[in-house]
Amino acid sequence: MQSVETHAGFSRTIGRALRSSPLLPLLPGILAIVFLFLWPLGQMIYFSFTDPTVGLENYRRFFQTPAEIRSLGTTMWVSFLATLLCAVIGYIYAYSMANSSKAVSRLLMGAVVLPMGVNLLVRTFSLQAILRDTGLINELLKSIGLIQSPLPLIRNTFAVSVGIISMELPFMVLPIYNTMVQINRKLLLAGEGLGATPARVFLDIYLPLSLPGVFAGSLIVFVSSLAYYVVPQLLGSGSEMFLSQDVSNWIQLQAEFGYGATVGVILLILTLGTLLIASLFMNIDKTLSETTGAK
Amino acid sequence: MDRRRLGCFPLAFSFLVIVVLLAPILISVAMSFTSADTLTFPPVGFSLQWYQAVIHGPKWQDRLPVSLTVAVASSLLATSIATLAAFALVRGKIRGGNLISTLFIAPMIVPAVVLATGMYFVWTKGWSLGPITVGGRLVGTIPGLILADTVIGIPLPFILVRASLGSVDLSLEQAARNLGASPFTTFTTITLPLIMPGVLSGLIFAFMSSWDEVVIASFLSSPRVSTVPVAIFQQLRETLDPSAAAISSMLLLVSVTLVGLLSLARRKPAQLKEE
């Protein structure tokens, strides 16, 4: 009897706590985010200003080292290039998806979503196997006599871009597709009815209406590209490093923790800065949720 | 007539893209069955020797249990935390809810290497504030890896559960409450079953994010305690032999299984709601 009462009392207490404070179920999440996420980031920022000496020394060193500036430049340039190419390829792909029969559309959707579930290392390895000097493409070209020595398809910016584009394409296609299927067809018909050529209808109506999807996709692809580590490590040259590789180099190989933390902070600022600027024009949370929700 | 006429260029181009995306994966699977000592395509002969080499390699026998333990524990933790948080944020009108939501999604946005660096510092030295230090020595331990993967596992379940909560009919919860159920009972007997597809797909995504994670794991593991992806990453940096293709194919099988589970988790009640 007593145990029943205690049980009822217990569940009533929980009930009251839930009613009075919706914060209770939020508590584990807040604790996890504060101690396991924000704290490490704070620690890294703190180290960048204090290790080995207090002050801005680490940052001065970063901006006075040509190799570091080059690494910053490589990261931004390759990410920009990959985003641009992704946007062009993704636009055509999404356009085919939005404007073909249901069966073809499903097939295209499946083909672009499926690789998202495949382990990044597996996909990077498969690109390595194809692009390397004795890989499929070079062997094929050699056997038909088009080339004597292998083309430089790997260990360069080209290979890194190919890698990033093939990993990021779904994140470009999905938001573009989502905006394309929401375009009101009556507007297009009206344009045609008023005598516009198909090219004019596309340029003046369809393209502007689908641009929000392009912007959303580009933001996601650019920000993710900035953080790439495995792909440039396996497909890139050792001389043109991404900032992520740079950080790992200082922390894991050189054990210069304060300086490595500084490079990390700069990468973080680059990422958050891009998002901050973008958030003036779009809803970031919505953009991310819709893209991942479409998975 | 709700589609624009599609020229043959976009469609041909799109099929080319599919080939470029999928062919490398299929080719690397084919190469794993070679009986030669080098990676070649087409593969020479047919043999399972590279699979045997991988399975009998001591490295994998040590790492598979670590990877599995970490992925199972962290995905369960992350999904529970994310589900509760999403519930609190959607149902309770909390001030600053948007900011808190952003924080739950943020681990997906912060570059992995950046998070790995910060975690490496804290996991090594502990949470210290002035003279007080708690914890530490977590690098190269299973709990350390579980804590790290819990953080990166939170965003997807959070997003998915939040979306499913948005589509739950509120009157069902109110009916339960009016009939005398406590908020706790209402959550476990009414809300939770209704959002289960979201919770389950969140769980699978969280499992995948831990199982596939390589950057943070390479910072936080030691030669003794390490995960499967870290070992593969090291091997891919050194040599490319057919055993790499064999490991890849086995991982691919895991990925395909998980994606299959995912579509199962999302299909059943989703059809009732959406269509």
Side-chain angles (χ1 to χ4, degrees):
Chain A
M1 188 66 199
Q2 186 164 11
S3 79
V4 171
E5 252 167 38
T6 351
H7 180 259
F10 176 67
S11 96
R12 210 175 307 131
T13 317
I14 288 194
R16 209 171 297 134
L18 275 174
R19 204 171 10 238
S20 60
S21 157
L23 288 175
L24 196 67
L26 199 55
L27 197 64
I30 299 278
L31 289 177
I33 290 295
V34 169
F35 287 102
L36 305 177
F37 178 68
L38 294 178
W39 195 297
L41 293 181
Q43 180 80 61
M44 183 189 67
I45 296 168
Y46 177 75
F47 262 26
S48 77
F49 290 111
T50 55
D51 182 86
T53 51
V54 178
L56 290 170
E57 184 48 39
N58 284 326
Y59 290 88
R60 201 172 299 135
R61 180 173 159 201
F62 180 90
F63 286 105
Q64 284 173 354
T65 314
E68 303 287 14
I69 302 298
R70 200 162 49 233
S71 165
L72 180 65
T74 303
T75 308
M76 291 176 73
W77 166 242
V78 176
S79 299
F80 173 75
L81 200 71
T83 307
L84 196 70
L85 288 170
C86 244
V88 173
I89 300 169
Y91 195 89
I92 301 174
Y93 196 95
Y95 185 84
S96 313
M97 226 159 101
N99 295 291
S100 51
S101 69
K102 209 163 196 166
V104 176
S105 178
R106 280 224 177 119
L107 176 73
L108 291 172
M109 174 66 106
V112 79
V113 172
L114 198 69
M116 282 164 91
V118 178
N119 187 306
L120 178 85
L121 285 165
V122 174
R123 301 181 61 194
T124 314
F125 161 72
S126 67
L127 285 174
Q128 265 182 308
I130 295 229
L131 294 174
R132 67 200 189 119
D133 289 351
T134 53
L136 181 65
I137 296 178
N138 272 321
E139 290 294 316
L140 201 71
L141 291 176
K142 231 188 277 180
S143 70
I144 57 173
L146 268 178
I147 53 169
Q148 259 76 55
S149 53
L151 295 173
L153 299 175
I154 200 168
R155 308 244 154 266
N156 53 30
T157 308
F158 167 78
V160 178
S161 310
V162 170
I164 296 181
I165 292 167
S166 62
M167 307 300 162
E168 292 295 324
L169 195 61
F171 301 99
M172 184 66 84
V173 169
L174 294 175
I176 299 180
Y177 174 74
N178 283 342
T179 53
M180 280 179 174
V181 290
Q182 283 166 22
I183 290 176
N184 187 346
R185 304 284 148 169
K186 285 187 184 134
L187 295 173
L188 308 177
L189 287 176
E192 280 164 20
L194 292 169
T197 60
R200 272 242 85 80
V201 172
F202 176 79
L203 286 176
D204 287 353
I205 306 173
Y206 198 90
L207 185 63
L209 287 174
S210 53
L211 275 184
V214 180
F215 291 143
S218 302
L219 175 69
I220 296 172
V221 172
F222 183 73
V223 169
S224 330
S225 304
L226 292 175
Y228 264 67
Y229 172 71
V230 171
V231 169
Q233 192 79 26
L234 294 179
L235 299 178
S237 69
S239 58
E240 282 176 318
M241 281 206 287
F242 265 51
L243 283 176
S244 290
Q245 296 170 276
D246 202 17
V247 174
S248 147
N249 176 39
W250 289 113
I251 302 282
Q252 293 190 289
L253 297 179
Q254 317 288 337
E256 285 207 35
F257 297 130
Y259 190 60
T262 307
V263 184
V265 171
I266 287 165
L267 176 57
L268 186 62
I269 291 174
L270 199 59
T271 306
L272 297 184
T274 309
L275 286 168
L276 199 67
I277 294 170
S279 70
L280 299 175
F281 307 101
M282 58 178 103
N283 182 338
I284 307 277
D285 185 351
K286 202 166 146 252
T287 306
L288 283 173
S289 310
E290 280 175 359
T291 313
T292 43
K295 270 183 185 176
Chain B
M1 143 103 205
D2 65 334
R3 293 168 202 284
R4 288 169 59 76
R5 266 188 309 275
L6 188 65
C8 59
F9 166 71
L11 208 54
F13 180 85
S14 303
F15 279 103
L16 185 70
V17 170
I18 295 182
V19 172
V20 174
L21 278 183
L22 297 182
I25 301 176
L26 298 178
I27 288 169
S28 67
V29 171
M31 288 193 292
S32 68
F33 295 109
T34 190
S35 57
D37 287 346
T38 54
L39 268 181
T40 47
F41 189 83
V44 183
F46 177 88
S47 102
L48 293 174
Q49 59 170 335
W50 295 105
Y51 286 88
Q52 282 169 340
V54 170
I55 292 167
H56 295 303
K59 207 156 69 175
W60 311 103
Q61 288 173 357
D62 291 348
R63 291 177 180 212
L64 193 61
V66 175
S67 269
L68 273 176
T69 313
V70 171
V72 169
S74 70
S75 57
L76 286 172
L77 269 171
T79 310
S80 319
I81 289 172
T83 304
L84 288 173
F87 180 74
L89 284 166
V90 174
R91 289 293 182 263
K93 305 274 176 290
I94 295 170
R95 267 196 305 156
N98 277 342
L99 176 73
I100 300 175
S101 292
T102 309
L103 282 175
F104 283 114
I105 296 174
M108 198 161 87
I109 296 166
V110 169
V113 167
V114 171
L115 195 52
T117 303
M119 284 175 167
Y120 179 75
F121 296 153
V122 176
W123 270 226
T124 312
K125 300 195 165 181
W127 287 260
S128 64
L129 205 62
I132 313 157
T133 298
V134 181
R137 296 186 180 203
L138 282 168
V139 171
T141 66
I142 290 180
L145 290 168
I146 292 175
L147 288 178
D149 285 1
T150 301
V151 175
I152 59 159
I154 287 176
L156 276 164
F158 179 76
I159 290 172
L160 292 167
V161 172
R162 195 175 56 168
S164 349
L165 276 170
S167 63
V168 168
D169 189 351
L170 273 180
S171 58
L172 293 174
E173 285 176 15
Q174 274 157 4
R177 297 293 302 282
N178 289 341
L179 291 169
S182 68
F184 182 71
T185 315
T186 309
F187 178 73
T188 50
T189 57
I190 306 292
T191 317
L192 199 56
L194 285 171
I195 59 171
M196 210 27 117
V199 175
L200 284 181
S201 19
L203 185 68
I204 297 169
F205 271 120
F207 183 92
M208 283 165 88
S209 70
S210 168
W211 173 256
D212 290 340
E213 213 294 318
V214 58
V215 182
I216 295 176
S218 81
F219 274 67
L220 299 183
S221 52
S222 66
R224 242 161 31 83
V225 177
S226 187
T227 65
V228 173
V230 174
I232 298 173
F233 185 46
Q234 275 161 358
Q235 170 158 6
L236 292 184
R237 288 163 81 162
E238 288 152 18
T239 50
L240 281 189
D241 64 14
S243 71
I247 302 160
S248 281
S249 307
M250 290 194 279
L251 281 186
L252 184 65
L253 195 65
V254 177
S255 298
V256 170
T257 312
L258 288 170
V259 171
L261 281 177
L262 192 63
S263 58
L264 271 182
R266 303 201 64 164
R267 187 152 295 163
K268 268 196 238 150
Q271 269 176 349
L272 286 175
K273 281 237 88 88
E274 284 168 11
E275 294 182 55

